[in-house]
Amino acid sequence: MLTFYSDETLRRRARTELDGGRLVVPYESPERVELVLKRVREVGLGEVRAPETFGLAPVLAVHDRGYVDFIAGCWDEWQAAGRTGEAIAWIWPTRTLRDDVIPEHIDGRLGHYAQSADTSICAGTFEAAMASKDIALSAMAHTLATGEPSFGLCRPPGHHAASDQFGGYCFFNNAAIAAQHALDEGVARVAVLDVDFHHGNGTQEIFYARDDVLFASLHGDPRSCFPYFLGHADETGRGRGEGYNLNYPLPAGTAFVAWSRALDDALRRIRDAGCEVLVVSLGVDAFEHDPISAFRLTSDDFTELGRRLATLGLPTTFLLEGGYAVEEIGINAVNVLSGFEAAAREA
């Protein structure tokens, strides 16, 4: 399996995350991709290739222009305001405030475009996000051209990024950008399957009223898990998108037996919908030892996940999302890819 990777993804080295009332070093770190890349090479998964560059047009196909301009210029604007720390939102247009007038001040604009205070913007954020989406697009382009699976070693991750908001360490929605690219290249319907512990709220928001992308997410119940305000089972799409949004919220402590029942139902729905290409938002924070998650999947379970994904028989692009047990992230991510390849060879 071909892996796409760029050192540009390491340019974002944030120092600040608000966690439990403390400012800590973020769980999402450059070391995550370095460990996955090391494992890819250790097992001989296949060639590692640098991505092509695609510019801003694919980003603007799923994201708001004002939002993209904000991400591009936020760090410079923050510094110009005389700030010495990293840019973190501290005021939001909540239920009793207006959200239709975008403030001019950097603090207000941060609040307008931020979902949460967990994600700071620092030097290199825009450049890393651009490289990450290029990785996703290159992986998808390879799959479309060859029919072969591909792996995009994306960082920052993307599935929390909505059309005009960042959060959960995500700035540009790599999976949505890749899915839209496949549609633009003539694919009739794409499936995006999100197996990250945290709900892919951004991907859901982008495609919620559309029937050309089926979105399915297995995740911690939002009544007790981030992002809290999206991901319930009754969110099934709107208008033409009705029935094309599938949420499988699961309780803390869920192990593979129960988790895989939800997976099997999602795979059945993807088959029934006639999807032609599969994008996997490959978060591996469902792992039993992940520090900010609450499922109980083992490393061997990720191999079985890959095997089950292969049963769809679809051209498949895997894009890295979460996974914060850094010692095991490489093992778990590559287990999915190896399991997929082994099952595909046996088919």
Side-chain angles (χ1 to χ4, degrees), residues 39-121:
R39 185 65 175 175
V40 164
R41 288 171 168 156
E42 283 176 349
V43 305
L45 185 71
E47 179 187 352
V48 177
R49 185 177 297 177
E52 301 176 43
T53 55
F54 289 80
L56 275 176
V59 179
L60 295 170
V62 300
H63 287 292
D64 171 74
R65 164 65 79 171
Y67 168 73
V68 174
D69 290 345
F70 170 77
I71 296 296
C74 176
W75 180 243
D76 289 341
E77 186 176 349
W78 181 256
Q79 290 186 300
R83 305 300 174 79
T84 57
E86 294 178 337
I88 303 176
W90 58 272
I91 179 70
W92 286 268
T94 57
R95 289 188 301 275
T96 58
L97 300 175
R98 292 180 63 176
D99 65 357
D100 60 319
V101 179
I102 302 175
E104 295 179 358
H105 194 280
I106 183 61
D107 289 342
R109 295 178 71 217
L110 264 170
H112 180 81
Y113 289 118
Q115 295 172 9
S116 53
D118 65 325
T119 304
S120 61
I121 291 180

Side-chain angles (χ1 to χ4, degrees), residues 7-323:
D7 287 341
E8 287 289 295
T9 65
L10 307 180
R11 292 185 63 175
R12 172 176 162 79
R13 292 183 175 271
R15 304 185 309 272
T16 314
E17 175 178 341
L18 181 62
D19 176 47
R22 300 175 300 127
L23 293 177
V24 302
V25 176
Y27 290 99
E28 200 292 298
S29 67
E31 290 73 24
R32 296 171 63 249
V33 292
E34 292 173 334
L35 287 164
V36 177
L37 184 63
K38 178 182 177 183
R39 185 65 175 175
V40 164
R41 288 171 168 156
E42 283 176 349
V43 305
L45 185 71
E47 179 187 352
V48 177
R49 185 177 297 177
E52 301 176 43
T53 55
F54 289 80
L56 275 176
V59 179
L60 295 170
V62 300
H63 287 292
D64 171 74
R65 164 65 79 171
Y67 168 73
V68 174
D69 290 345
F70 170 77
I71 296 296
C74 176
W75 180 243
D76 289 341
E77 186 176 349
W78 181 256
Q79 290 186 300
R83 305 300 174 79
T84 57
E86 294 178 337
I88 303 176
W90 58 272
I91 179 70
W92 286 268
T94 57
R95 289 188 301 275
T96 58
L97 300 175
R98 292 180 63 176
D99 65 357
D100 60 319
V101 179
I102 302 175
E104 295 179 358
H105 194 280
I106 183 61
D107 289 342
R109 295 178 71 217
L110 264 170
H112 180 81
Y113 289 118
Q115 295 172 9
S116 53
D118 65 325
T119 304
S120 61
I121 291 180
C122 64
T125 294
F126 176 70
E127 292 80 4
M130 289 289 285
S132 192
K133 62 86 181 170
D134 282 339
I135 288 168
L137 287 164
S138 297
M140 175 54 73
H142 175 77
T143 293
L144 293 175
T146 66
E148 299 172 355
S150 60
F151 175 41
L153 190 39
C154 296
R155 180 186 180 266
H159 71 149
H160 292 306
S163 59
D164 62 354
Q165 285 188 306
F166 71 94
Y169 315 128
C170 302
F171 302 93
F172 296 153
N173 194 309
N174 303 312
I177 291 168
Q180 184 63 53
H181 179 71
L183 296 170
D184 292 342
E185 292 295 307
V187 174
R189 179 170 291 143
V190 178
V192 178
L193 175 63
D194 192 324
V195 297
D196 192 284
F197 172 80
H198 303 95
H199 178 248
N201 58 288
T203 315
Q204 171 171 310
E205 184 266 342
I206 288 168
F207 295 121
Y208 200 63
R210 294 171 52 172
D211 62 0
D212 51 358
V213 175
L214 184 146
F215 174 65
S217 178
L218 286 65
H219 53 268
D221 192 322
R223 291 176 298 179
S224 58
C225 300
F226 182 92
Y228 297 109
F229 302 107
L230 215 60
H232 297 281
D234 64 353
E235 297 160 13
T236 57
R238 181 178 66 250
R240 291 180 58 185
E242 177 62 44
Y244 289 90
N245 194 87
L246 311 174
N247 284 326
Y248 299 87
L250 298 165
T254 294
F256 188 71
V257 171
W259 190 89
S260 64
R261 285 197 291 268
L263 173 67
D264 290 343
D265 188 73
L267 297 180
R268 177 185 63 81
R269 297 286 295 274
I270 289 169
R271 291 188 192 94
D272 291 348
C275 297
E276 298 174 357
V277 170
L278 175 65
V279 177
V280 180
S281 276
L282 183 57
V284 292
D285 47 359
F287 182 54
E288 58 185 341
H289 300 307
D290 195 274
I292 58 173
S293 305
F295 286 168
R296 295 291 178 263
L297 271 64
T298 67
S299 292
D300 288 343
D301 292 334
F302 287 106
T303 304
E304 177 60 20
L305 165 61
R307 297 184 66 87
R308 296 197 190 195
L309 294 174
T311 64
L312 286 174
L314 292 177
T316 301
T317 292
F318 296 87
L319 304 176
L320 186 68
E321 299 282 3

